[in-house]
């Protein structure tokens, strides 16, 4: 009597297909590990590189950034029979969407203000990020940035490939100047009295009485003898008021 071993069917390769031409590692694995004693050897004869070992039930592949079709093969050496089975899958490598942000570079705003950024690119969905973190609800082509940090946008196309803009935009938010008043004598005034109101100094100053600018009142201090509501507009070196 002769016992004849039957090899398992060729394994099926599981992994991203189509893949995205991002130049990043993509994992591929086998559908069934028929035996821990079997050996799995991966080869990529037509392009791409294997990152790390090509032996095992899982492999990491960097397909590069040139869209095309590339084969990947896994050969299973069956320990019980000494025979081999093989499976080859053709991976389609798709282009990634290109997205740009305008305006570019860096910008400054005052606390409470915002700057509008616009993204341009062909894709299915935008997702704005600040310091690499998604901003909830910021999924349109325009974004009003108001927090300090590096702003970027992730564009995903219909194939599921995604990429961010090559250059992020740095936004700097400057605080508003702090305005407090001191008076030369306690308030309120008596008939015939006057008081000097002093506020913080800065590059640009303007006093107001009852919401109307006081003529020539552009100094740090103001001598007041008339009743009313007085205020002070201070513009600092960052043009914040």
């Amino acid at each position: 009597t002769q016992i004849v071993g039957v090899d398992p069917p060729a394994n099926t390769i599981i992994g991203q297909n189509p893949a995205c031409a991002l130049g990043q590692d993509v994992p591929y694995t086998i559908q069934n590990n028929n035996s821990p004693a079997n050996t799995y050897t991966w080869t990529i004869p037509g392009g791409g590189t294997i990152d790390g070992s090509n032996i095992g039930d899982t492999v990491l592949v960097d397909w590069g950034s040139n869209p095309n079709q590339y084969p990947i093969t896994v050969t299973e050496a069956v320990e019980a029979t000494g025979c081999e089975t093989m499976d080859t899958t053709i991976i389609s490598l798709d282009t990634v969407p290109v997205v740009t942000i305008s305006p570019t570079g860096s910008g400054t705003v005052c606390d409470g203000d915002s700057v509008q950024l616009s993204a341009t690119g062909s894709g299915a969905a935008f997702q704005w990020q600040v310091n690499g973190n998604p901003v909830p609800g910021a999924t349109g082509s325009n974004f009003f940035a108001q927090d300090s940090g590096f702003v970027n946008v992730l564009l995903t196309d219909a194939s599921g490939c995604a990429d961010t803009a090559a250059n992020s935009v740095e936004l700097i938010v400057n605080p508003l100047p702090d305005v407090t008043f001191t008076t030369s004598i306690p308030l309120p005034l008596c008939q015939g009295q006057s008081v000097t109101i002093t506020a913080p100094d800065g590059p640009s100053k303007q006093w107001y009485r009852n919401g109307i600018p006081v003529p020539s009142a552009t100094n740090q201090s103001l001598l007041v003898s008339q009743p009313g509501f007085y205020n002070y507009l201070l513009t600092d070196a960052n043009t914040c008021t």
Side-chain angles (χ1 to χ4, degrees):
T1 302
Q2 184 176 11
I3 300 176
V4 178
V6 178
D7 288 334
N11 243 303
T12 300
I13 297 173
I14 299 174
Q16 189 178 7
N17 191 16
C20 303
L22 280 170
Q24 298 177 352
D25 288 343
V26 180
Y28 291 90
T29 188
I30 55 174
Q31 187 174 30
N32 299 302
N33 191 332
N34 294 310
S35 170
N38 293 355
T39 300
Y40 301 91
T41 303
W42 299 80
T43 55
I44 306 176
T49 57
I50 294 176
D51 188 1
S53 175
N54 71 325
I55 306 297
D57 55 10
T58 300
V59 70
L60 294 175
V61 179
D62 180 352
W63 293 113
S65 56
N66 295 318
N68 209 327
Q69 291 189 322
Y70 301 99
I72 180 173
T73 298
V74 61
T75 301
E76 179 178 1
V78 182
E79 190 272 340
T81 64
C83 298
E84 293 183 344
T85 62
M86 180 183 298
D87 179 56
T88 297
T89 297
I90 303 299
I91 304 297
S92 296
L93 195 63
D94 288 350
T95 57
V96 295
V98 176
V99 58
T100 58
I101 301 175
S102 61
T104 59
S106 62
T108 59
V109 296
C110 299
D111 190 19
D113 294 337
S114 62
V115 60
Q116 181 178 350
L117 301 176
S118 298
T120 304
S122 299
F126 294 95
Q127 175 61 66
W128 290 90
Q129 305 170 342
V130 176
N131 295 328
N133 300 313
V135 179
T139 55
S141 60
N142 295 317
F143 177 59
F144 290 89
Q146 57 185 8
D147 296 318
S148 291
F150 292 91
V151 182
N152 210 328
V153 63
L154 179 73
L155 177 60
T156 303
D157 65 16
S159 299
C161 293
D163 201 7
T164 54
N167 297 304
S168 60
V169 174
E170 183 181 13
L171 181 65
I172 300 171
V173 178
N174 292 312
L176 300 181
D178 185 22
V179 177
T180 57
F181 298 125
T182 60
T183 58
S184 58
I185 62 174
L187 300 177
L189 297 180
C190 297
Q191 184 70 31
Q193 285 186 311
S194 62
V195 62
T196 298
I197 307 174
T198 301
D201 199 4
S204 176
K205 305 168 285 290
Q206 176 63 58
W207 287 94
Y208 290 79
R209 176 175 178 265
N210 297 329
I212 299 173
V214 179
S216 303
T218 56
N219 295 317
Q220 183 180 2
S221 298
L222 180 69
L223 181 63
V224 173
S225 58
Q226 294 179 309
F229 293 96
Y230 288 85
N231 212 333
Y232 177 79
L233 181 66
L234 173 63
T235 303
D236 65 16
N238 297 314
T239 68
C240 295
T241 59

